[in-house]
Amino acid sequence: MDGRSNVLLVAGPSGVGKTATIHAIALHLGVTIWEWTTPTPTVWPEHLHNSNSGLQYISKLDEFEGFVERVRKYGLTSPMLKGSQASVILLVDDLPVVNGRDVYGRLQRCLTLLVQLVRIPTAIVITNYDKDDSADLSTRCWEELLVSLYSAGACKVNFNPVTVNSIKKTLTTICRKEQREVDAGSIELIAKASGGDVRHAINSLQYLCLKPHRRPILPSKERLDNVRCMDDVFSLPFGKDETLSLFHALGKFLHNKRESEHTIASVRDTFLLKEKFVRFPLKMDAPEVVLCQAHGQARTLSEFLHENVLDFLSEEAIDDAWLVASYLSDADFLLSSLNGHLSRDFGAENIIQSAAASVAARGVLFGNAHPVPSRWHAIRRPKLWEVEQSSRRNKCQMFSQRSDLYNSLTITDQIVMATEFRPSLKWLGFRASESFQADGMVEDSTCLHENKLDLSDDEIEDW
Amino acid sequence: MLWVDKYRPKTLDKVIVHQDVAQNLQKLVSEGDCPHLLFYGPSGSGKKTLIMALLRQIFGPSADKVKVENKIWKVDVSFSLNFFFFSFRMQAGTRTIDVELTTLSSTHHVELNPSDAGFQDRYVVQEIIKEMAKNRPIDTKGKKGFKVLVLNEVDKLSREAQHSLRRTMEKYSASCRLILCSNSSSKVTEAVRSRCLNVRINAPMEEEIVNVLEFIAKKEGLQIPQGFAARIAEKSNRNLRRAVLTFEACRVQQYPFTNNQAIPPMDWEQYVSEIASDIMKEQSPKRLFEVRGKLYELLTNCIPPEIILKRLLFELLKKLDSELKHEVSNWAAHYEHRMRLGQKSIFHLEAFVAKFMSIYKSFLVSTFG
């Protein structure tokens, strides 16, 4: 740790032994670890209760900032610590959860200061969550944070996922020490299914060892290979559930990859379908499974599918386009069927949400009977969002004009405004220009632009 | 002031179209009271004009002294949660929501568009209207002790809102009269309709529109050539407001009028007819995508999707072989229904366009091979 700063950044996915390494080093050097412990969070009802007694709400980030400030200025002065400062490592394992740009900025500033000024050896542990979900704002934030801290002078150590062989070795050692008989096949299976997460693998092993008399039905050898290539981890009693990003799922639905002919299995249980309803089997899990993995909201999903699906239809297939459009229309109908109900029945809403998502996804898969050969498409974000925003803005503008432009005796309907007054005023083009259009429009259009930018960030965050 | 406002008849005896209705209304309120009223009829037929004239008939000139207010109402809403584990429902608390509403009021009446509040319309009806209805104006003579609430676009109210409207109508009938105004009576619930005296206002005949235009021309001191007013009337789709607006636009464009002068069309209608010819020219997913872009353009400009669909169907039918007309209209109706039930109108509009393309393409293939 000499040369640069006193701070060591440890980054990597969960369960690869980041914290364990720090502890091991500390043990080896014979120093004490002093860990930043997160205070118990204040929940909202509690805060409401407290607010009567005059207590201020202090967020976790506030407390963390205070802590960093103290450490920077005075070092560690906890009464619990005995001995010199040199024998202490400060460990920050639990960074406050941040959401949103400005809060994130505060955390970044605070950590950068820590990196630059702290005098005692410090380790900051940062867990990288799903790397592939790059649309997720928080993931990008963490990456950015790592880079900025590194450039502020921290040393960085990256942990890669543990290889299957090392996990196997570890598991075998554990089995030997615990004197459990677990056959090599299960160990290999666990190691493969764990996705490089040792902690998870050990937990799975322990779970497996709970019932020593009933060995799990072991998948055959082919099955084992499937585990790797098909993400088919659902049938196993252990293993990590794969998570997909929304884009990944959309890609699956839109590209619509299918077998080129019927497999025997599907012929066996087939109903007699008319020619036009028959589709080749899908080269993916059932759409519902994919949806489940992607955690997609039905509304977002259907809007994305709607925006992008036409690119994936072949040139001539207007019938397919209608089929897809009709299913999307069904999905929209399902999604809005709960609207306006006073009581919120979350159960029913969930079912409708999943049904709608399923209709949208399956509709796109079924409808696109003649998919274009795979080629690269950029997936656009729905233009509908922009349209809705600007339409809402136009509406507000119209309402505001309504009162000052026509000092008539009645309130004009919005429809009449949009379809009759506005076009005619364009033709008349007189009072209109002096009263509102000239000054109002220019300002509005610029501020709309800013709004749009802001909102686009927010929406990406929402997915 | 626009001509539409300038030449709006102020009293019931001055109206030019719907004189019969005006006379009946005059008789109706001669006693100084009236039942709840529901005016329905197509856009630009004169419902509002009649309502305003009626108010003036009841309350005298003071009904003309109106002020526009844009007010944010705070409505307390109690909400409840369902718990699955315990099969009871508990009151989880109240929250206050803000509902922004523009009202136009005189001492005797309040006019508002409850549907402006969108999905919050039921709060407007439940709370705000109730609030207004409760306050009974005091009259020195002890007569006319009621207030009139004019509600526009009742047909656009959600079903829940219409239900609560029904309750309000009964409960406060002593202190207030509702005058409802809507384009179609079929979208107003039966219960509300039966509590009102329904007044149907037909779209004015073309000759009547011509009369009005000539009346305005006389007042403005304009010369109009023979047949020019008839052309505007024909273009106006029997919508008087539109005819007057167009007439004024023509006046700005070119005066003195000539008989072959172009009558300025509404820009969005032109746009829809472009879309229609796009659809007729090519039927492919790519074209569908382009059409979607144009539909977005219209929606951005707040043209209501139902009107887009209607106009689009109209334009398409003009160019269509008669054997397809039935099927196409059927699908248009299907998707209009869908649009009303659904939320994102573009999904349904696009589905209609796709269906049309599909029908038309197979028709072309079977006819011309």
Side-chain angles (χ1 to χ4, degrees):
Chain A
M1 280 191 209
D2 39 21
R4 290 176 72 96
S5 150
N6 284 331
V7 176
L8 178 70
L9 286 179
V10 183
S14 56
V16 293
K18 299 182 296 292
T19 316
T21 313
I22 305 284
H23 280 280
I25 292 173
L27 201 64
H28 181 73
L29 295 176
V31 293
T32 325
I33 284 184
W34 203 81
E35 193 172 348
W36 151 250
T37 44
T38 334
T40 325
T42 317
V43 287
W44 185 242
E46 193 184 341
H47 167 64
L48 285 182
H49 183 75
N50 284 344
S51 61
N52 293 331
S53 57
L55 280 177
Q56 288 255 309
Y57 178 74
I58 305 169
S59 76
K60 279 166 91 179
L61 184 58
D62 293 334
E63 296 201 27
F64 184 69
E65 274 180 332
F67 166 76
V68 167
E69 182 100 7
R70 277 201 309 278
V71 167
R72 239 175 48 220
K73 286 189 180 149
Y74 316 116
L76 288 171
T77 51
S78 171
M80 279 155 61
L81 291 169
K82 298 192 175 78
S84 70
Q85 297 248 319
S87 62
V88 174
I89 294 180
L90 175 65
L91 173 62
V92 180
D93 197 352
D94 190 5
L95 288 176
V97 179
V98 289
N99 241 329
R101 284 253 160 224
D102 40 339
V103 190
Y104 162 73
R106 269 173 67 193
L107 180 68
Q108 188 180 13
R109 274 194 298 282
C110 150
L111 281 175
T112 315
L113 277 178
L114 181 73
V115 166
Q116 285 165 346
L117 297 173
V118 78
R119 284 188 302 270
I120 43 175
T122 303
I124 302 177
V125 176
I126 295 178
T127 309
N128 299 354
Y129 299 103
D130 304 308
K131 265 254 163 81
D132 45 79
D133 203 353
S134 58
D136 197 3
L137 187 70
S138 59
T139 318
R140 275 182 289 153
C141 281
W142 287 123
E143 276 163 19
E144 229 176 278
L145 186 66
L146 272 176
V147 172
S148 75
L149 291 187
Y150 182 69
S151 57
C155 304
K156 191 173 135 194
V157 177
N158 250 328
F159 278 62
N160 287 331
V162 185
T163 57
V164 174
N165 275 336
S166 328
I167 295 184
K168 256 159 61 183
K169 242 179 255 170
T170 315
L171 294 183
T172 327
T173 320
I174 292 173
C175 286
R176 210 170 45 240
K177 286 203 173 154
E178 291 285 322
Q179 292 164 354
R180 302 275 179 172
E181 287 290 318
V182 181
D183 59 306
S186 315
I187 285 181
E188 190 176 349
L189 200 59
I190 293 173
K192 272 180 181 166
S194 67
D197 183 341
V198 180
R199 184 170 29 213
H200 184 85
I202 296 176
N203 281 339
S204 303
L205 182 71
Q206 191 172 11
Y207 177 71
L208 191 70
C209 293
L210 279 179
K211 304 168 206 161
H213 301 300
R214 278 175 47 206
R215 284 155 37 101
I217 306 140
L218 267 188
S220 59
K221 190 68 188 156
E222 303 95 83
R223 210 37 209 284
L224 267 177
D225 295 335
N226 281 351
V227 170
R228 198 174 36 226
C229 61
M230 292 283 288
D231 310 336
D232 186 11
V233 285
F234 290 91
S235 54
L236 298 176
F238 42 76
K240 279 182 136 178
D241 282 359
E242 192 88 355
T243 51
L244 293 172
S245 70
L246 179 63
F247 284 106
H248 197 157
L250 284 171
K252 281 189 179 224
F253 295 141
L254 291 169
H255 280 291
N256 200 1
K257 291 209 177 101
R258 290 169 184 276
E259 310 287 345
S260 47
E261 56 191 16
H262 285 287
T263 52
I264 304 146
S266 68
V267 171
R268 194 180 53 215
D269 57 12
T270 192
F271 303 104
L272 278 178
L273 285 177
K274 279 189 185 165
E275 185 77 23
K276 61 173 180 173
F277 296 128
V278 176
R279 300 282 187 276
F280 292 127
L282 288 170
K283 264 194 197 164
M284 63 169 112
D285 292 319
E288 288 75 21
V289 174
V290 176
L291 282 172
C292 198
Q293 288 169 309
H295 309 291
Q297 290 252 315
R299 177 58 75 194
T300 327
L301 179 93
S302 62
E303 277 161 4
F304 266 100
L305 288 176
H306 168 253
E307 176 67 37
N308 292 294
V309 72
L310 290 180
D311 293 348
F312 293 83
L313 300 178
S314 80
E315 288 287 296
E316 295 295 305
I318 191 63
D319 294 349
D320 293 357
W322 169 66
L323 212 51
V324 169
S326 79
Y327 279 115
L328 288 175
S329 149
D330 291 345
D332 178 55
F333 168 49
L334 278 174
L335 278 174
S336 55
S337 58
L338 264 187
N339 261 29
H341 283 235
L342 271 173
S343 65
R344 294 195 207 142
D345 192 345
F346 294 114
E349 200 172 302
N350 269 340
I351 291 174
I352 292 223
Q353 284 260 345
S354 353
S358 172
V359 165
R362 279 188 184 270
V364 165
L365 288 170
F366 173 77
N368 188 1
H370 313 90
V372 284
S374 249
R375 65 187 143 104
W376 189 80
H377 287 282
I379 289 185
R380 292 181 302 266
R381 77 194 214 99
K383 201 181 163 211
L384 180 63
W385 297 349
E386 274 164 47
V387 170
E388 278 175 345
Q389 266 169 40
S390 43
S391 156
R392 216 171 301 142
R393 200 187 59 91
N394 276 339
K395 203 186 240 175
C396 291
Q397 206 188 355
M398 245 162 41
F399 281 150
S400 63
Q401 284 167 24
R402 177 161 75 184
S403 37
D404 47 52
L405 185 59
Y406 320 105
N407 46 351
S408 65
L409 292 178
T410 62
I411 302 182
T412 320
D413 300 351
Q414 185 220 327
I415 300 179
V416 174
M417 287 283 302
T419 56
E420 289 171 34
F421 277 106
R422 267 161 69 112
S424 325
L425 283 178
K426 255 177 234 165
W427 287 107
L428 295 174
F430 61 122
R431 279 158 291 198
S433 56
E434 66 201 40
S435 66
F436 63 91
Q437 249 154 357
D439 45 40
M441 282 301 242
V442 184
E443 282 171 40
D444 276 357
S445 63
T446 50
C447 86
L448 164 77
H449 204 67
E450 283 160 24
N451 274 346
K452 251 187 202 164
L453 288 179
D454 284 354
L455 275 159
S456 69
D457 267 356
D458 286 347
E459 268 153 0
I460 289 172
E461 207 173 328
D462 277 348
W463 302 340
Chain B
M1 200 186 240
L2 292 170
W3 287 357
V4 261
D5 291 324
K6 198 170 168 188
Y7 296 105
R8 188 193 287 275
K10 298 279 184 306
T11 51
L12 283 176
D13 39 354
K14 278 198 188 137
V15 298
I16 302 175
V17 294
H18 301 306
Q19 279 168 355
D20 47 338
V21 179
Q23 276 164 17
N24 285 338
L25 286 175
Q26 224 162 353
K27 277 180 221 150
L28 182 75
V29 296
S30 58
E31 300 279 300
D33 201 351
C34 72
H36 296 308
L37 292 169
L38 167 65
F39 283 79
Y40 66 98
S43 178
S45 56
K47 300 181 291 294
K48 277 293 185 48
T49 308
L50 284 169
I51 291 173
M52 297 325 291
L54 179 72
L55 287 175
R56 199 188 151 100
Q57 184 79 30
I58 304 174
F59 298 114
S62 60
D64 288 350
K65 294 199 186 73
V66 291
K67 61 172 195 285
V68 179
E69 258 183 313
N70 201 357
K71 193 172 159 189
I72 292 171
W73 295 77
K74 298 221 177 291
V75 181
D76 284 328
V77 189
S78 62
F79 59 93
S80 54
L81 289 173
N82 285 333
F83 285 91
F84 312 121
F85 316 113
F86 331 103
S87 54
F88 65 86
R89 187 179 272 206
M90 63 177 277
Q91 202 72 20
T94 58
R95 69 200 152 115
T96 312
I97 54 167
D98 292 347
V99 181
E100 196 183 345
L101 202 67
T102 309
T103 57
L104 193 127
S105 53
S106 74
T107 44
H108 303 288
H109 85 282
V110 182
E111 180 182 347
L112 63 153
N113 269 12
S115 59
D116 280 358
F119 62 95
Q120 293 172 328
D121 57 359
R122 61 172 182 273
Y123 304 128
V124 175
V125 172
Q126 274 177 340
E127 303 298 330
I128 300 177
I129 293 184
K130 210 187 281 175
E131 203 55 46
M132 291 174 173
K134 266 189 216 161
N135 302 325
R136 182 189 191 134
I138 298 166
D139 196 59
T140 42
K141 287 169 214 152
K143 261 175 74 185
K144 293 170 189 167
F146 63 86
K147 197 172 192 173
V148 173
L149 286 178
V150 181
L151 306 185
N152 294 323
E153 298 178 298
V154 189
D155 47 346
K156 279 168 77 188
L157 283 181
S158 65
R159 212 145 258 279
E160 289 83 7
Q162 294 198 20
H163 274 293
S164 14
L165 191 59
R166 187 190 57 177
R167 297 273 303 123
T168 312
M169 290 170 97
E170 274 175 357
K171 215 168 165 191
Y172 302 101
S173 60
S175 59
C176 103
R177 300 286 173 274
L178 292 180
I179 297 184
L180 312 178
C181 182
S182 85
N183 279 347
S184 107
S185 70
S186 64
K187 284 172 184 167
V188 181
T189 54
E190 200 76 49
V192 170
R193 265 189 283 163
S194 89
R195 282 167 176 75
C196 298
L197 175 70
N198 294 7
V199 184
R200 182 178 156 75
I201 312 292
N202 292 320
M205 304 302 289
E206 279 176 22
E207 301 87 73
E208 289 175 312
I209 293 179
V210 170
N211 286 343
V212 172
L213 294 183
E214 276 165 357
F215 167 78
I216 292 174
K218 207 171 90 193
K219 288 267 177 180
E220 287 282 316
L222 303 172
Q223 298 291 321
I224 41 174
Q226 196 73 35
F228 184 66
R231 268 179 65 210
I232 293 180
E234 189 195 331
K235 279 259 180 178
S236 72
N237 226 346
R238 291 176 66 191
N239 178 337
L240 184 58
R241 182 184 327 108
R242 206 177 141 169
V244 176
L245 281 170
T246 319
F247 186 47
E248 194 175 358
C250 289
R251 161 77 179 78
V252 173
Q253 293 249 300
Q254 185 187 349
Y255 186 77
F257 298 121
T258 54
N259 227 338
N260 53 358
Q261 181 180 347
I263 291 170
M266 300 285 162
D267 49 1
W268 65 274
E269 288 186 352
Q270 228 173 1
Y271 205 66
V272 173
S273 81
E274 273 170 39
I275 294 177
S277 54
D278 280 354
I279 295 173
M280 300 297 280
K281 264 182 223 146
E282 188 189 321
Q283 297 84 35
S284 70
K286 204 171 141 233
R287 180 52 61 95
L288 184 62
F289 184 72
E290 288 161 21
V291 168
R292 181 200 291 173
K294 293 192 173 177
L295 290 175
Y296 274 151
E297 192 74 24
L298 286 170
L299 290 175
T300 311
N301 282 307
C302 303
I303 311 288
E306 302 86 34
I307 290 189
I308 299 176
L309 182 66
K310 206 165 140 192
R311 187 76 200 176
L312 187 61
L313 177 69
F314 173 75
E315 294 286 344
L316 289 172
L317 287 183
K318 272 202 293 200
K319 306 172 182 182
L320 210 58
D321 200 271
S322 58
E323 64 179 283
L324 292 182
K325 281 183 179 170
H326 172 77
E327 196 184 353
V328 168
S329 311
N330 180 25
W331 281 105
H334 174 82
Y335 284 113
E336 195 207 349
H337 182 227
R338 270 302 170 76
M339 204 143 69
R340 206 168 157 73
L341 296 175
Q343 260 180 330
K344 309 279 167 176
S345 45
I346 186 71
F347 282 39
H348 312 289
L349 274 177
E350 196 178 307
F352 169 69
V353 173
K355 184 67 197 175
F356 178 85
M357 283 181 169
S358 157
I359 293 172
Y360 190 65
K361 193 179 181 190
S362 59
F363 168 75
L364 286 183
V365 168
S366 66
T367 319
F368 305 109

